[in-house]
Amino acid sequence: AVTVDAATEQIITAGNDLTLTAAFTLSDGDITSTGGTLILNGALSGTGVLDATGSTLSLNGDLDVELIQSFRN
């Protein structure tokens, strides 16, 4: 499992693809994908920011939308 738990922590994919294969906790910080494909194979939860503007989002696991502070697509 991977955890992003500080406001300064970020994953920025730009136009590249990103596949998360295990449970991922986004307690703070953000994941930003402005192109390419964002594939979530494990559960994603937390209160961080998931910004998939301009990307293809593929959910193969659970997405806890109530806990995600901001979701843009």
Side-chain angles (χ1 to χ4, degrees):
V2 175
T3 301
V4 172
D5 58 4
T8 57
E9 295 177 335
Q10 301 177 6
I11 296 176
I12 301 171
T13 68
N16 299 296
D17 296 340
L18 174 66
T19 301
L20 300 174
T21 58
F24 192 93
T25 302
L26 189 58
S27 299
D28 206 346
D30 58 82
I31 297 175
T32 303
S33 179
T34 56
T37 301
L38 182 56
I39 301 170
L40 306 176
N41 289 329
L44 176 64
S45 62
T47 57
V49 175
L50 173 61
D51 183 351
T53 303
S55 299
T56 299
L57 181 61
S58 176
L59 302 175
N60 299 317
D62 295 328
L63 175 65
D64 188 347
V65 294
E66 291 181 15
L67 295 177
I68 299 296
Q69 188 179 76
S70 177
F71 173 73
R72 301 178 202 105
N73 186 359

